[in-house]
Every structure is written in structure tokens, then in C-alpha cells.
Amino acid sequence: MHRLSATKRCFYFFLLMIFNSHAYGFGEVLLDKLLRSDFIYDRGITELPFIPIGYLAATHQDTLTLEPCPLTKPACEYKYQSLAQGAGIPVWVGQKNMLIVGQTLNVDVFEADGDSLTINTGGLMAAWISQHSESWQSGAFAYHYQNLASDMRSDDTRGTYAGMVGRYRHSPTFHSYWGAVVANTSGESRFYPYIGFDWYINNLWAVTAVFPWPSVSYSLNEAQLLRVGALVSEVSWAVKQDNSFYTQDFSQMSLGFAFEQKISRLLWAEFSAGYTGLGTLQINTDAESSIKTDIESQPFIKLALNVRPF
């Protein structure tokens, strides 16, 4: 028995897939090709399921408050809701290489003072993964996103993420990750180092220490999963005002717990709850000046369906 040793957390950008009745048979063929390839698997060491390769998630937060408030108080209190979906698939699998393509769709809704703003974002991804030896695996990816038919007051905002990641298999239970990601958003380029590890303590417990998705997971049984962890999220858009467009960036870190229940061979239902913190709303008025406002910590709830092949 084996576990696909993909570059675990970086590949959340692209290892995403929603199966339907037409794709099911094709997915079975691809899984068979993966199992017959030279990619290293360690499935027998844990009862924890494989990372999601598909998802549909809804998140809700009440009363996000800007502090200090530069406007009237009602205009500084937001309700935030999001709906996110991702899909991806290895379209070609060789003995030591595979090509993966994918897509994401996000709908983010902000409501304040009787008004609302909707941001629709779509993204496309391509990734190449190679198994160089029993110990080394590497991957390279490019992901492009763009606002799609958002609120008429907003303008198209787009960005690109590209990176290379290496994974070293110290043992079947311990793997380290190395690499870098370059993000080009709103005309700015930012460099992020990618470093971390995952450790399967025993067949029930696992620690994943890779930013921005650190987590601790525990398998209650083969059909139930508990997870505690953090996630950094960000939404960017441009708003038209006085014939000029101002880029706005909403970001926050969420810390909480999740419970997942297996409901079919591939599908898991998830309930998550927790608190968000370190939230900011940054408005870039031009290339050299910006206004940055903190957001008070608030609880959140999340419901999701995840596709896990193993």
C-alpha cells in the first residue's frame, strides 16, 4: 500500500479535482497509471486520507470591523461571505513525470452599510512534477488569476504565481520541502521562500509545518478526521472613484479546527470553525501611497466538500 508523495502543501495551488459521473472512469485510469509509475508512495504508514484534490467550500463571517475607522461606523462594519471551488487533474502521467492542469473559481461578497460588493475571480494552473530518485521529487507551476464580471464599480485585477519546489524523502514518515514562489499582483512582484516539513508521528497523527498551511491532523478512524491549523487568505480588486481606479487588498489569517466525515469512496464533508486575526484592508491610492487599516478578530464558520482519492 502506498501514498502519493507529491510536493504536499505547495500543490494545494493545483492538485484540485471535482469528479463527476463522466470523469470517474478517467480518474480510475489515471490512478492506475500513478500506481504503476516510479512515483514513491508511503500509504501504509497512516490512516489519514490523502490531501484534497478537489473542493467546494463556503465561508461566512459576521461584523468585520475596521480599526481605526476612517469613515462612519456603519461603513466600517462588514459582513464577509465566500464561495470557492477548485478542479485539477493530471492530464499526462509517465514513468517519472506528470503534467497537471487545473482551475479555481471564487466569489467573495462584502456587505457594509446597506451596500454590497461582489468580487468574482477565476484562475488557471499548469504544473510539472518529476520523480528524480527514491528520495528526490521536484515540481514547477504557474498559476494565473483574474477578476471575472465583478461589480461594475470594480476593474479587472489580475496576478500570477510561479514557483519551483523540491521534496526530500528522509524516511517514509518524514519529508522536507524547499523552494521559492514569485507572486506578481497589482503590478508588484514579491518573493516568498518555501520551506517546511511533514512528519507522520504514527498511523493516527501527522504534523505539517509548511507556511501558509501549518496543521496538526488526527485520524479518529478510516472515515473521520480532525485537524487544527491556520490559513492565510487574500482578495484583491480595484474600485473606480473619481475616474480613477484604486487597488484594494483584503487579507487575514484564520486559525481553527476542522472535522471531516467520509460520505462516499471519494467524497468527504467538512465543518470548520475558528477565529481570524491579523486582518488588514489596504487601499493603494497610487503607485507610492497607500492606506492600511487593521481588522478586528472575528469568528468564522466553513462548510466544504473535499475529494480525496485515497
Side-chain angles (χ1 to χ4, degrees):
M1 298 298 290
H2 302 288
R3 179 180 62 87
L4 177 64
S5 54
T7 312
K8 187 172 182 179
R9 292 294 178 177
C10 182
F11 290 172
Y12 268 128
F13 280 112
F14 46 77
L15 281 178
L16 309 169
M17 180 176 181
I18 297 295
F19 282 106
N20 55 39
S21 59
H22 299 288
Y24 184 83
F26 183 51
E28 289 286 288
V29 173
L30 288 171
L31 289 177
D32 182 68
K33 286 185 177 181
L34 287 170
L35 291 171
R36 294 176 183 275
S37 71
D38 287 346
F39 283 85
I40 303 298
Y41 303 83
D42 295 311
R43 183 59 187 165
I45 65 173
T46 180
E47 292 185 9
L48 292 165
F50 188 59
I51 62 173
I53 59 171
Y55 65 83
L56 177 65
T59 304
H60 176 79
Q61 288 180 271
D62 269 327
T63 319
L64 295 175
T65 304
L66 303 181
E67 292 290 346
C69 179
L71 306 170
T72 59
K73 186 174 181 180
C76 289
E77 294 182 343
Y78 289 81
K79 287 185 178 180
Y80 172 63
Q81 300 177 77
S82 71
L83 182 65
Q85 178 268 333
I89 191 170
V91 295
W92 177 82
V93 179
Q95 199 64 28
K96 293 181 178 293
N97 299 279
M98 76 173 77
L99 174 64
I100 298 174
V101 297
Q103 57 77 221
T104 60
L105 289 173
N106 295 78
V107 179
D108 298 276
V109 181
F110 299 85
E111 298 180 9
D113 197 18
D115 196 11
S116 67
L117 176 68
T118 300
I119 309 298
N120 302 315
T121 308
L124 295 174
M125 177 281 306
W128 184 269
I129 307 174
S130 298
Q131 183 75 50
H132 303 285
S133 67
E134 185 174 313
S135 299
W136 277 104
Q137 187 181 88
S138 68
F141 74 93
Y143 171 77
H144 177 79
Y145 71 87
Q146 182 173 340
N147 287 162
L148 304 171
S150 297
D151 191 290
M152 293 184 64
R153 294 166 295 176
S154 65
D155 190 27
D156 286 344
T157 302
R158 62 190 66 188
T160 301
Y161 289 83
M164 296 187 67
V165 176
R167 172 188 183 274
Y168 186 74
R169 182 175 180 262
H170 300 265
S171 72
T173 60
F174 189 84
H175 318 96
S176 60
Y177 301 89
W178 316 82
V181 176
V182 176
N184 190 320
T185 59
S186 304
E188 295 184 4
S189 294
R190 290 174 288 179
F191 172 85
Y192 298 97
Y194 187 86
I195 185 171
F197 67 88
D198 60 34
W199 175 29
Y200 291 87
I201 302 172
N202 54 38
N203 65 323
L204 301 178
W205 288 91
V207 176
T208 300
V210 180
F211 183 82
W213 311 280
S215 65
V216 177
S217 301
Y218 175 69
S219 174
L220 294 170
N221 51 58
E222 292 185 353
Q224 293 180 321
L225 167 68
L226 288 177
R227 185 177 66 257
V228 177
L231 175 66
V232 176
S233 58
E234 185 175 14
V235 182
S236 298
W237 67 96
V239 174
K240 187 175 183 180
Q241 184 174 347
D242 299 329
N243 296 320
S244 298
F245 283 97
Y246 299 94
T247 301
Q248 301 191 14
D249 184 270
F250 168 76
S251 62
Q252 58 183 352
M253 176 178 285
S254 302
L255 178 64
F257 76 92
F259 170 77
E260 289 192 47
Q261 172 69 53
K262 188 175 183 179
I263 57 178
S264 71
R265 180 183 175 187
L266 300 174
L267 200 60
W268 292 67
E270 175 186 340
F271 171 79
S272 302
Y275 258 80
T276 59
L278 304 177
T280 61
L281 177 64
Q282 180 170 318
I283 302 174
N284 299 314
T285 55
D286 55 46
E288 298 182 353
S289 61
S290 63
I291 301 172
K292 190 172 184 180
T293 306
D294 293 332
I295 300 174
E296 288 187 347
S297 298
Q298 290 292 334
F300 74 89
I301 58 172
K302 173 185 171 183
L303 299 175
L305 292 175
N306 298 318
V307 177
R308 298 178 180 270
F310 305 112

